[in-house]
Amino acid sequence: MPDLKLSAVTPLGDLRRDFAGTSLAEVSGKALVSIAIPRGGEAAMAKAVSGAYGIKPPAIGSSAESRDGAARFLGLQSDQFFLLFDHSGDRAVEVVSGKLGDAGYYTDQSDSWAMLRLAGLQSLAALECICPLDLDVTAFPPGAVGRTAMEHLGAIILREAEDTFLLLSARSSARSFLHAVETSLVNVS
């Protein structure tokens, strides 16, 4: 029997590109876990999140970063949020359930999404060409998060700082999503 070894590969091959001072880079080394709150379990979840991460769960459309900055809760819909945190490996749910206990239902989404970080002066202009959300900093400040479509592809957008955005799209269409973002960057650069 052959001695085969499998190794993990990121959806976009650890892509890093620069467009006239605006960078586009694949984000890896992060886990993404979906957390669903059981009916009537909001108080228990808030207590668990506060005890484990030192914060309150975020409202829909916003995010909350843990005390140590290693984890961020994304408020995407009622009774559910995503937890994005530094992690490699296949035990993300165990990490979360170890911290939050039975306060929620957990599903590892890490391998289902491609993540891009867009940072620099042209990032907003590039996104305005392909994203229908109002991304003006007064309407979508740092920490804001939303589900949207970019070039007909489902996406999640998180504003990390004034000129820095984390973009998530389905891994199965990662190359198409990358093409849309790159084309927009080329057009505004």
Side-chain angles (χ1 to χ4, degrees):
M1 180 178 280
D3 186 22
L4 299 176
K5 281 191 166 184
L6 299 177
S7 58
V9 177
T10 65
L12 299 168
D14 288 322
L15 169 106
R16 304 228 182 285
R17 297 205 177 123
D18 188 66
F19 296 83
T22 298
S23 66
L24 179 63
E26 182 176 21
V27 175
S28 58
K30 298 254 185 212
L32 187 67
V33 173
S34 173
I35 300 172
I37 303 170
R39 179 174 286 165
E42 294 83 3
M45 179 59 73
K47 182 177 179 182
V49 169
S50 176
Y53 295 95
I55 56 173
K56 296 188 322 186
I60 296 171
S62 64
S63 67
E65 192 170 38
S66 64
R67 254 189 318 243
D68 63 3
R72 183 181 292 267
F73 288 81
L74 310 178
L76 295 167
Q77 65 189 53
S78 179
D79 299 328
Q80 182 180 10
F81 39 83
F82 278 174
L83 177 57
L84 181 68
F85 60 100
D86 297 332
H87 180 75
S88 60
D90 59 357
R91 305 257 186 240
V93 167
E94 290 176 21
V95 171
V96 176
S97 64
K99 291 183 178 235
L100 299 179
D102 61 358
Y105 305 114
Y106 315 109
T107 307
D108 190 351
Q109 300 286 313
S110 306
D111 284 340
S112 301
W113 296 86
M115 298 182 210
L116 292 170
R117 179 166 287 118
L118 182 60
L121 296 177
Q122 296 300 318
S123 58
L124 180 59
L127 288 172
E128 287 176 333
C129 295
I130 60 173
C131 180
L133 296 179
D134 181 357
L135 297 177
D136 183 83
V137 72
T138 58
F140 201 81
V145 65
R147 285 187 185 265
T148 189
M150 293 186 203
E151 293 295 302
H152 310 292
L153 297 168
I156 295 173
I157 181 170
L158 166 68
R159 187 179 221 142
E160 295 178 313
E162 187 164 342
D163 290 325
T164 305
F165 297 86
L166 182 66
L167 311 173
L168 291 79
S169 191
R171 182 184 184 114
S172 61
S173 55
R175 293 275 171 202
S176 296
F177 188 66
L178 172 63
H179 177 72
V181 176
E182 283 183 320
T183 300
S184 189
L185 273 167
V186 167
N187 290 336
V188 299
S189 296

